[in-house]
Amino acid sequence: MLSFMPQAKATRAGKVYGAPGDGYSGHISIITALVLIGLWFLVTESGWVKPLFLPSPVAVYHKFMVALTDGVANSTLWEHTRASLTRVFGAFFLACLTAIPIGIWMGVSRVARGLFDPIIEFYRPLPPLAYLPLVIIWLGIGEFPKIFLIYLAIFAPMAIAARAGVKSVSIEQIHAAYAMGGTQGQIIRHVILKAALPEIFTGMRIGIGVGWTTLVAAEMIAADRGLGFMVLNSAQFLDSAAVIMGIIVIGVFAFAFDLLVRYLERLLIPWKGKI
Amino acid sequence: MTAPMERLKIDKVSLTYPGLHSSEAVIALKGVDLTIESGEFVVALGASGCGKTTLLNLLAGFMSPTEGEITLGGKRIRGPGADRGVVFQKHALLPWLNVIDNTEFGLRLQHVPKAERHERAARNLALVGLQDFHRHMIYHLSGGMQQRVGVARALTCDPAMLLMDEPMAALDALTRESIQELLLKVWEHTHKMFFFITHSVEEALFLGSRLIVMSPRPGRITHMYDLDFNRRFLKEGNARAIKSSPDFIQMRETVLGIIYGDELAAAGTQEVVHA
């Protein structure tokens, strides 16, 4: 009699009630991407939006081919990309070499924490554009200040992540190692550093992402090459197809590197989230 | 091997946790005297707050007493060391290492050659029945197996004494019983001093060759019993029959009476405080 009333859905045989949001979502993401590209075609082909504001996918693709062969903003796309990759990865590797050890050091030493905490916490919330003029005044307009600006932006999140990682080791793990004759140095190297790895990797992912966001700011410093420079330069000539093409190229590289780090994460820290 | 002269002596040990003001200082242990002979299985039992974990931390060397001293084989305990293995309530194993590498870890810290440490770890894993699980990852094991790895790991350093802080508190009843029996066999086989904390009266009576009952406010030893249920089990092998025998049940009621007395007294003082 009450069969028309809405009822809780019965479980299908073999179905398990999990946490909300469980399961694979990749195919939905692909559909989202396809729908967005379809809409892009629709609004440009139909003439609803002027090409100055949103050029058609075909125009962007055409610009991409031109950039590959003849070049845009005085260099080919490959030259722009190489310049930007060198800057972002140069800064990233410098940050890995310095921020991770300093973050670990801050986690295990009261003195180091007191020393670095005010510096990092003071400059971390500042937008790179705010201290960009200072970097130019101090370091000039060569290649190094560009790398240094990106490096500064990457350094803070990576050091903070490494420091937080140190806290993920349990006191029992440290006590157990001491009770097996471990020295403080061995415990830092064999227990704390390993326990911090998952957070260090998260810091690396956040760091490289911040690096790409800072790229355009860095290439405002008298650059004559680079993906950020290419976008800025094209914008001055109202070449929106080149602007969008540049944005997509940066996005593709940033996304590809993130996938790589995620893959390395699964390979190197299979215990993440399991204990 | 452990020298027969090894003996642990706790001499008038007190420990006071300093509070913010002198009136807030907590006396965790007061005037504890206890001698553990080589090969004894001592179980500490008591209501929460009686200082049993504090006592274990003092024996392990994770803390130093504010008064009195503890000696092992005539040498004063000044910090954690490989002569006292510790098994924790939560396993405290290293998730990035597999079972055999976790078991070898202490010897690795002591720079023991690979072949020797592998041989010793394998021997102790066989002792706890995990000879077929060398290459398994820690997070693929059940809670009971993880604790067995913890016991094997502590034994592999060949300590004079094994300290266990409620190692079975997080296990289900069936696993708990089987690990109790395993632990007695390990004890018989190794002839080491065992110091075991529990809040289960039945577990304490079954395992210990000596039972110390502790009382809170201030933490101290109030009763001591010599037991032989563990030897009976090792001879006859029927745990259920021993645990349901009249003298076991009578002993259990006596000890429960003491502990309930403490709990009631504690509840009484709390009522006075709230009134």
Side-chain angles (χ1 to χ4, degrees), chain B residues 119-191:
Chain B
E119 192 271 324
R120 282 166 67 178
R123 185 149 36 89
N124 285 296
L125 282 174
L127 193 60
V128 298
L130 291 176
Q131 59 280 3
D132 297 330
F133 293 88
H134 286 193
R135 303 271 154 230
H136 280 63
M137 294 312 287
I138 295 305
Y139 44 84
H140 289 146
L141 302 182
S142 67
M145 290 162 95
Q146 290 173 342
Q147 283 305 46
R148 278 147 71 190
V149 178
V151 171
R153 176 175 76 167
L155 287 172
T156 300
C157 290
D158 196 22
M161 96 182 282
L162 199 60
L163 306 165
M164 286 168 277
D165 187 1
E166 301 193 34
M168 307 183 201
L171 303 179
D172 64 276
L174 271 175
T175 311
R176 204 174 166 132
E177 299 222 329
S178 77
I179 294 194
Q180 285 172 3
E181 297 177 15
L182 178 83
L183 213 51
L184 284 182
K185 284 170 187 159
V186 169
W187 173 62
E188 187 188 34
H189 185 269
T190 58
H191 298 292

Coordinates of all heavy atoms in Angstrom, one line a residue, chain B residues 119-191:
Chain B
E119 N 70.6 -15.0 10.8 CA 70.5 -16.3 11.5 C 69.8 -16.2 12.8 O 68.8 -16.9 13.1 CB 71.9 -16.9 11.6 CG 71.9 -18.4 12.0 CD 71.9 -18.6 13.5 OE1 72.6 -17.7 14.2 OE2 71.3 -19.5 14.0
R120 N 70.2 -15.2 13.6 CA 69.5 -15.0 14.9 C 68.1 -14.5 14.8 O 67.2 -15.0 15.6 CB 70.3 -13.9 15.7 CG 71.6 -14.5 16.3 CD 72.6 -13.5 16.8 NE 72.1 -12.7 17.9 CZ 72.8 -11.8 18.5 NH1 74.0 -11.5 18.1 NH2 72.2 -11.1 19.6
A121 N 67.8 -13.7 13.8 CA 66.4 -13.2 13.6 C 65.5 -14.4 13.2 O 64.4 -14.6 13.7 CB 66.3 -12.1 12.6
A122 N 66.0 -15.2 12.3 CA 65.3 -16.4 11.8 C 65.0 -17.4 12.9 O 63.9 -17.9 13.0 CB 66.0 -17.1 10.7
R123 N 66.0 -17.6 13.8 CA 65.8 -18.5 14.9 C 64.7 -17.9 15.9 O 63.8 -18.7 16.3 CB 67.1 -18.5 15.7 CG 67.2 -19.5 16.9 CD 68.6 -20.1 17.1 NE 69.7 -19.2 16.8 CZ 70.2 -18.3 17.8 NH1 69.7 -18.3 19.0 NH2 71.2 -17.5 17.5
N124 N 64.6 -16.6 16.1 CA 63.6 -16.1 17.0 C 62.2 -16.0 16.3 O 61.2 -16.1 17.0 CB 64.0 -14.7 17.5 CG 65.1 -14.9 18.6 OD1 64.8 -15.4 19.7 ND2 66.3 -14.4 18.3
L125 N 62.2 -15.8 15.0 CA 60.9 -15.9 14.3 C 60.4 -17.3 14.4 O 59.1 -17.4 14.6 CB 61.1 -15.4 12.9 CG 61.2 -13.9 12.7 CD1 61.5 -13.5 11.3 CD2 59.9 -13.2 13.2
A126 N 61.2 -18.3 14.3 CA 60.7 -19.7 14.4 C 60.2 -19.9 15.8 O 59.2 -20.6 15.9 CB 61.9 -20.6 14.1
L127 N 60.8 -19.3 16.8 CA 60.4 -19.5 18.2 C 59.0 -19.0 18.4 O 58.2 -19.5 19.2 CB 61.4 -18.7 19.1 CG 61.3 -19.0 20.6 CD1 61.6 -20.5 20.8 CD2 62.4 -18.1 21.3
V128 N 58.6 -17.9 17.7 CA 57.2 -17.4 17.8 C 56.3 -17.9 16.7 O 55.2 -17.4 16.5 CB 57.2 -15.8 17.9 CG1 58.0 -15.3 19.1 CG2 57.7 -15.2 16.6
G129 N 56.8 -18.9 15.9 CA 55.9 -19.5 14.9 C 55.8 -18.7 13.7 O 54.8 -18.9 12.9
L130 N 56.7 -17.8 13.3 CA 56.6 -17.0 12.1 C 57.6 -17.4 11.1 O 58.0 -16.5 10.3 CB 56.6 -15.5 12.5 CG 55.4 -15.0 13.3 CD1 55.7 -13.5 13.6 CD2 54.1 -15.1 12.5
Q131 N 58.1 -18.6 11.1 CA 59.2 -19.0 10.2 C 58.8 -18.9 8.7 O 59.6 -18.7 7.8 CB 59.7 -20.4 10.5 CG 58.7 -21.5 10.4 CD 57.8 -21.6 11.6 OE1 57.9 -20.8 12.5 NE2 57.0 -22.6 11.6
D132 N 57.5 -18.9 8.4 CA 57.0 -18.8 7.0 C 56.6 -17.4 6.6 O 56.0 -17.2 5.5 CB 55.8 -19.8 6.8 CG 56.2 -21.2 7.1 OD1 57.4 -21.6 6.8 OD2 55.4 -22.0 7.5
F133 N 57.0 -16.4 7.4 CA 56.5 -15.1 7.1 C 57.6 -14.0 7.0 O 57.4 -12.8 7.1 CB 55.5 -14.6 8.2 CG 54.2 -15.4 8.2 CD1 54.1 -16.6 8.9 CD2 53.1 -15.0 7.4 CE1 52.9 -17.3 8.9 CE2 51.9 -15.7 7.4 CZ 51.8 -16.9 8.1
H134 N 58.8 -14.5 6.7 CA 60.0 -13.6 6.6 C 59.7 -12.4 5.7 O 60.1 -11.3 6.1 CB 61.2 -14.3 6.1 CG 61.8 -15.2 7.2 ND1 63.0 -15.8 7.1 CD2 61.3 -15.7 8.4 CE1 63.3 -16.5 8.1 NE2 62.2 -16.5 8.9
R135 N 59.2 -12.6 4.6 CA 59.1 -11.6 3.5 C 57.8 -10.8 3.6 O 57.6 -9.9 2.8 CB 59.3 -12.1 2.1 CG 60.6 -12.9 2.0 CD 61.7 -12.0 1.5 NE 63.0 -12.6 1.9 CZ 63.9 -11.9 2.6 NH1 63.8 -10.6 2.9 NH2 65.0 -12.5 2.9
H136 N 56.9 -11.1 4.6 CA 55.6 -10.4 4.6 C 55.9 -9.0 5.2 O 56.7 -8.7 6.0 CB 54.7 -11.1 5.6 CG 54.0 -12.3 4.9 ND1 54.7 -13.4 4.4 CD2 52.7 -12.5 4.6 CE1 53.9 -14.2 3.9 NE2 52.6 -13.7 4.0
M137 N 55.0 -8.0 4.7 CA 55.1 -6.7 5.2 C 54.3 -6.6 6.5 O 53.3 -7.4 6.7 CB 54.5 -5.7 4.2 CG 55.4 -5.6 2.9 SD 57.2 -5.4 3.2 CE 57.3 -3.7 3.8
I138 N 54.7 -5.8 7.4 CA 54.1 -5.7 8.7 C 52.6 -5.4 8.6 O 51.8 -6.0 9.3 CB 54.7 -4.5 9.5 CG1 56.2 -4.9 9.8 CG2 54.0 -4.2 10.8 CD1 56.4 -6.2 10.5
Y139 N 52.2 -4.5 7.7 CA 50.8 -4.1 7.6 C 49.9 -5.2 6.9 O 48.7 -5.0 6.8 CB 50.6 -2.8 6.9 CG 51.5 -2.6 5.6 CD1 51.0 -3.1 4.4 CD2 52.7 -2.0 5.7 CE1 51.8 -3.0 3.2 CE2 53.5 -1.8 4.5 CZ 53.0 -2.3 3.3 OH 53.7 -2.2 2.2
H140 N 50.5 -6.3 6.5 CA 49.7 -7.4 6.0 C 49.4 -8.4 7.1 O 48.8 -9.4 6.8 CB 50.3 -8.0 4.8 CG 50.3 -7.1 3.6 ND1 51.3 -7.1 2.6 CD2 49.4 -6.2 3.2 CE1 51.0 -6.2 1.7 NE2 49.8 -5.7 2.0
L141 N 50.0 -8.2 8.3 CA 49.8 -9.2 9.3 C 48.7 -8.8 10.3 O 48.3 -7.7 10.4 CB 51.1 -9.3 10.2 CG 52.4 -9.6 9.5 CD1 53.6 -9.7 10.5 CD2 52.3 -11.0 8.7
S142 N 48.2 -9.8 11.0 CA 47.1 -9.6 12.0 C 47.8 -9.0 13.2 O 49.0 -9.1 13.4 CB 46.4 -10.9 12.3 OG 47.3 -11.7 13.0
G143 N 47.0 -8.4 14.1 CA 47.5 -7.8 15.3 C 48.3 -8.8 16.2 O 49.4 -8.5 16.7
G144 N 47.8 -10.0 16.3 CA 48.5 -11.0 17.0 C 49.9 -11.4 16.4 O 50.9 -11.5 17.2
M145 N 50.0 -11.5 15.1 CA 51.2 -11.7 14.4 C 52.2 -10.6 14.6 O 53.4 -10.8 14.8 CB 51.0 -12.1 13.0 CG 50.3 -13.4 12.7 SD 49.6 -13.5 11.1 CE 50.9 -14.3 10.2
Q146 N 51.6 -9.3 14.5 CA 52.5 -8.2 14.7 C 53.2 -8.2 16.1 O 54.3 -7.9 16.2 CB 51.7 -6.9 14.5 CG 51.2 -6.6 13.1 CD 50.3 -5.5 13.0 OE1 49.7 -5.0 13.9 NE2 50.2 -5.0 11.8
Q147 N 52.4 -8.6 17.1 CA 53.0 -8.6 18.5 C 54.0 -9.7 18.6 O 55.0 -9.6 19.3 CB 51.9 -8.8 19.5 CG 51.1 -7.5 19.8 CD 51.9 -6.4 20.3 OE1 53.0 -6.1 19.7 NE2 51.5 -5.7 21.3
R148 N 53.8 -10.9 17.8 CA 54.8 -11.9 17.8 C 56.1 -11.4 17.2 O 57.2 -11.8 17.7 CB 54.2 -13.2 17.1 CG 53.3 -14.0 18.1 CD 52.2 -14.7 17.3 NE 52.7 -15.8 16.5 CZ 51.9 -16.4 15.6 NH1 50.6 -16.0 15.5 NH2 52.3 -17.4 14.9
V149 N 56.0 -10.6 16.1 CA 57.2 -10.1 15.5 C 57.8 -9.2 16.6 O 59.1 -9.2 16.7 CB 56.9 -9.2 14.3 CG1 58.1 -8.6 13.7 CG2 56.2 -10.1 13.2
G150 N 57.0 -8.4 17.3 CA 57.6 -7.5 18.4 C 58.4 -8.3 19.4 O 59.5 -7.9 19.8
V151 N 57.9 -9.5 19.8 CA 58.6 -10.3 20.8 C 59.9 -10.9 20.2 O 60.9 -10.8 20.8 CB 57.6 -11.5 21.2 CG1 58.4 -12.5 22.1 CG2 56.5 -10.9 22.1
A152 N 59.8 -11.3 18.9 CA 61.0 -11.9 18.2 C 62.0 -10.8 18.1 O 63.2 -11.0 18.3 CB 60.6 -12.5 16.9
R153 N 61.6 -9.6 17.7 CA 62.5 -8.5 17.5 C 63.3 -8.2 18.9 O 64.5 -8.0 18.9 CB 61.8 -7.2 17.1 CG 62.6 -6.0 16.9 CD 61.9 -4.8 16.4 NE 61.0 -4.2 17.4 CZ 60.4 -3.0 17.2 NH1 60.7 -2.4 16.1 NH2 59.6 -2.5 18.1
A154 N 62.5 -8.1 20.0 CA 63.1 -7.8 21.3 C 64.1 -9.0 21.7 O 65.2 -8.7 22.2 CB 62.1 -7.6 22.3
L155 N 63.7 -10.2 21.4 CA 64.6 -11.4 21.8 C 65.8 -11.4 20.9 O 66.9 -11.9 21.4 CB 63.8 -12.7 21.6 CG 62.7 -13.0 22.6 CD1 61.9 -14.2 22.2 CD2 63.3 -13.2 24.0
T156 N 65.8 -10.9 19.7 CA 66.9 -11.1 18.8 C 68.1 -10.3 19.3 O 69.3 -10.7 19.0 CB 66.5 -10.6 17.4 OG1 65.4 -11.5 16.9 CG2 67.6 -10.8 16.4
C157 N 67.9 -9.3 20.0 CA 69.1 -8.5 20.6 C 69.7 -9.3 21.8 O 70.6 -8.8 22.4 CB 68.7 -7.1 21.1 SG 68.3 -6.1 19.7
D158 N 69.1 -10.4 22.2 CA 69.5 -11.3 23.3 C 69.6 -10.4 24.6 O 70.7 -10.4 25.2 CB 70.8 -12.0 23.0 CG 71.1 -13.1 24.0 OD1 70.1 -13.6 24.6 OD2 72.2 -13.5 24.1
P159 N 68.5 -9.8 25.0 CA 68.6 -9.0 26.2 C 68.5 -9.9 27.5 O 68.1 -11.1 27.4 CB 67.3 -8.2 26.2 CG 66.3 -9.0 25.4 CD 67.2 -9.8 24.4
A160 N 69.0 -9.4 28.6 CA 68.9 -10.1 29.9 C 67.5 -10.2 30.3 O 67.1 -11.1 31.0 CB 69.8 -9.4 30.9
M161 N 66.7 -9.1 30.0 CA 65.3 -9.2 30.4 C 64.4 -8.6 29.4 O 64.8 -7.8 28.5 CB 65.2 -8.5 31.8 CG 64.8 -7.0 31.8 SD 64.8 -6.5 33.5 CE 63.2 -7.1 34.2
L162 N 63.2 -9.1 29.4 CA 62.2 -8.6 28.4 C 61.1 -7.9 29.2 O 60.5 -8.4 30.1 CB 61.6 -9.9 27.7 CG 60.9 -9.6 26.4 CD1 61.9 -9.0 25.3 CD2 60.4 -11.0 25.8
L163 N 60.8 -6.6 28.8 CA 59.8 -5.8 29.4 C 58.6 -5.7 28.5 O 58.7 -5.4 27.3 CB 60.4 -4.4 29.7 CG 61.7 -4.3 30.4 CD1 62.3 -3.0 30.3 CD2 61.4 -4.7 31.9
M164 N 57.4 -6.0 29.0 CA 56.2 -6.0 28.1 C 55.1 -5.1 28.8 O 54.7 -5.4 29.9 CB 55.7 -7.4 27.9 CG 56.6 -8.2 27.0 SD 56.3 -10.0 27.0 CE 57.2 -10.5 28.4
D165 N 54.7 -4.1 28.1 CA 53.7 -3.2 28.6 C 52.4 -3.5 27.9 O 52.1 -3.0 26.9 CB 54.2 -1.7 28.2 CG 53.3 -0.7 28.9 OD1 52.3 -1.1 29.6 OD2 53.5 0.5 28.7
E166 N 51.5 -4.3 28.6 CA 50.2 -4.7 28.1 C 50.3 -5.1 26.6 O 49.5 -4.6 25.8 CB 49.2 -3.6 28.3 CG 49.1 -3.2 29.8 CD 47.8 -2.3 30.0 OE1 46.8 -2.5 29.3 OE2 47.9 -1.4 30.9
P167 N 51.1 -6.0 26.2 CA 51.3 -6.3 24.8 C 50.1 -6.9 24.2 O 50.0 -7.0 23.0 CB 52.5 -7.3 24.8 CG 52.5 -7.9 26.1 CD 52.0 -6.9 27.1
M168 N 49.1 -7.4 25.0 CA 48.0 -8.1 24.4 C 46.7 -7.3 24.6 O 45.6 -7.8 24.3 CB 47.8 -9.5 25.1 CG 49.1 -10.3 24.9 SD 48.8 -11.9 25.6 CE 50.5 -12.4 26.0
A169 N 46.8 -6.1 25.1 CA 45.6 -5.4 25.5 C 44.7 -5.1 24.2 O 43.5 -5.1 24.4 CB 46.0 -4.0 26.1
A170 N 45.3 -5.0 23.0 CA 44.5 -4.7 21.8 C 44.1 -6.0 21.1 O 43.6 -5.9 20.0 CB 45.3 -3.8 20.9
L171 N 44.4 -7.2 21.6 CA 44.1 -8.4 20.9 C 42.8 -9.0 21.3 O 42.3 -8.8 22.4 CB 45.2 -9.4 21.1 CG 46.6 -8.9 20.7 CD1 47.6 -10.1 21.0 CD2 46.7 -8.5 19.3
D172 N 42.2 -9.8 20.4 CA 40.9 -10.5 20.8 C 41.2 -11.6 21.7 O 42.3 -12.1 21.8 CB 40.2 -10.9 19.5 CG 41.0 -12.0 18.8 OD1 41.9 -11.6 18.0 OD2 40.8 -13.2 19.0
A173 N 40.1 -12.1 22.4 CA 40.3 -13.1 23.5 C 41.0 -14.4 23.0 O 41.9 -14.9 23.7 CB 38.9 -13.4 24.0
L174 N 40.7 -14.9 21.8 CA 41.2 -16.1 21.4 C 42.7 -16.0 21.1 O 43.6 -16.8 21.5 CB 40.6 -16.6 20.1 CG 39.3 -17.4 20.2 CD1 38.7 -17.7 18.9 CD2 39.7 -18.8 20.9
T175 N 43.1 -14.9 20.3 CA 44.5 -14.6 20.0 C 45.3 -14.4 21.3 O 46.4 -14.9 21.5 CB 44.6 -13.3 19.2 OG1 43.6 -13.4 18.1 CG2 46.0 -13.1 18.6
R176 N 44.6 -13.7 22.2 CA 45.3 -13.4 23.5 C 45.7 -14.7 24.2 O 46.8 -14.9 24.7 CB 44.2 -12.7 24.4 CG 44.8 -11.8 25.4 CD 43.7 -11.1 26.0 NE 44.2 -10.5 27.2 CZ 44.0 -9.2 27.6 NH1 43.3 -8.4 26.8 NH2 44.6 -8.8 28.7
E177 N 44.8 -15.7 24.3 CA 45.1 -17.0 25.0 C 46.2 -17.7 24.3 O 47.1 -18.2 24.9 CB 43.8 -17.8 25.0 CG 42.7 -17.2 25.8 CD 42.0 -18.1 26.7 OE1 41.9 -19.3 26.4 OE2 41.4 -17.7 27.7
S178 N 46.2 -17.7 22.9 CA 47.2 -18.5 22.2 C 48.6 -17.8 22.4 O 49.6 -18.4 22.5 CB 46.9 -18.7 20.8 OG 47.1 -17.5 20.0
I179 N 48.6 -16.4 22.5 CA 49.9 -15.8 22.7 C 50.4 -15.9 24.1 O 51.6 -16.0 24.3 CB 49.8 -14.3 22.2 CG1 49.5 -14.3 20.7 CG2 51.0 -13.5 22.5 CD1 49.7 -13.0 20.0
Q180 N 49.4 -16.0 25.0 CA 49.9 -16.2 26.4 C 50.6 -17.6 26.5 O 51.7 -17.6 27.1 CB 48.6 -16.4 27.3 CG 48.0 -15.0 27.7 CD 46.7 -15.2 28.4 OE1 46.3 -16.3 28.7 NE2 46.0 -14.1 28.7
E181 N 50.1 -18.6 25.8 CA 50.7 -19.9 25.9 C 52.1 -19.8 25.2 O 53.1 -20.4 25.6 CB 49.8 -20.9 25.2 CG 48.5 -21.1 26.0 CD 47.5 -22.1 25.4 OE1 47.9 -22.8 24.5 OE2 46.3 -22.1 25.8
L182 N 52.1 -19.1 24.0 CA 53.3 -19.0 23.3 C 54.4 -18.3 24.1 O 55.6 -18.7 24.2 CB 53.1 -18.2 22.0 CG 54.3 -17.9 21.1 CD1 54.5 -19.1 20.2 CD2 54.1 -16.6 20.3
L183 N 54.0 -17.3 24.8 CA 54.9 -16.5 25.6 C 55.5 -17.3 26.7 O 56.7 -17.2 27.0 CB 54.1 -15.3 26.3 CG 54.9 -14.0 26.5 CD1 55.6 -13.6 25.2 CD2 53.9 -12.9 26.9
L184 N 54.7 -18.2 27.3 CA 55.3 -19.1 28.4 C 56.3 -20.1 27.8 O 57.3 -20.4 28.4 CB 54.1 -19.9 29.1 CG 53.3 -19.1 30.1 CD1 52.2 -19.9 30.7 CD2 54.2 -18.4 31.1
K185 N 56.0 -20.5 26.6 CA 57.0 -21.5 25.9 C 58.3 -20.7 25.6 O 59.4 -21.3 25.8 CB 56.4 -22.1 24.7 CG 55.4 -23.2 25.0 CD 54.5 -23.6 23.9 CE 53.4 -24.6 24.4 NZ 52.3 -24.7 23.4
V186 N 58.1 -19.5 25.1 CA 59.3 -18.7 24.9 C 60.1 -18.4 26.1 O 61.3 -18.5 26.2 CB 58.9 -17.3 24.2 CG1 60.1 -16.3 24.2 CG2 58.3 -17.5 22.8
W187 N 59.4 -18.2 27.2 CA 60.0 -17.9 28.5 C 60.8 -19.2 29.0 O 62.0 -19.1 29.4 CB 59.0 -17.6 29.5 CG 59.5 -17.4 30.9 CD1 60.4 -16.6 31.4 CD2 59.1 -18.2 32.1 NE1 60.6 -16.8 32.7 CE2 59.8 -17.8 33.2 CE3 58.2 -19.3 32.2 CZ2 59.7 -18.3 34.4 CZ3 58.0 -19.8 33.5 CH2 58.7 -19.4 34.6
E188 N 60.2 -20.3 28.8 CA 60.8 -21.6 29.2 C 62.0 -21.8 28.4 O 63.1 -22.3 28.9 CB 59.8 -22.8 29.0 CG 60.3 -24.1 29.6 CD 59.4 -25.2 29.2 OE1 58.8 -25.2 28.1 OE2 59.2 -26.2 30.0
H189 N 61.9 -21.5 27.1 CA 63.0 -21.8 26.2 C 64.2 -20.9 26.4 O 65.4 -21.3 26.2 CB 62.5 -21.7 24.8 CG 63.5 -22.1 23.7 ND1 64.3 -21.2 23.1 CD2 63.8 -23.3 23.2 CE1 65.1 -21.8 22.2 NE2 64.8 -23.1 22.2
T190 N 63.9 -19.6 26.7 CA 65.0 -18.6 26.8 C 65.6 -18.4 28.2 O 66.7 -17.9 28.3 CB 64.5 -17.2 26.3 OG1 63.4 -16.8 27.1 CG2 64.1 -17.3 24.8
H191 N 64.9 -18.8 29.2 CA 65.3 -18.6 30.6 C 65.6 -17.1 30.9 O 66.5 -16.8 31.7 CB 66.5 -19.4 31.0 CG 66.2 -20.9 30.9 ND1 65.4 -21.5 31.7 CD2 66.7 -21.8 30.0 CE1 65.3 -22.8 31.4 NE2 66.1 -23.0 30.3

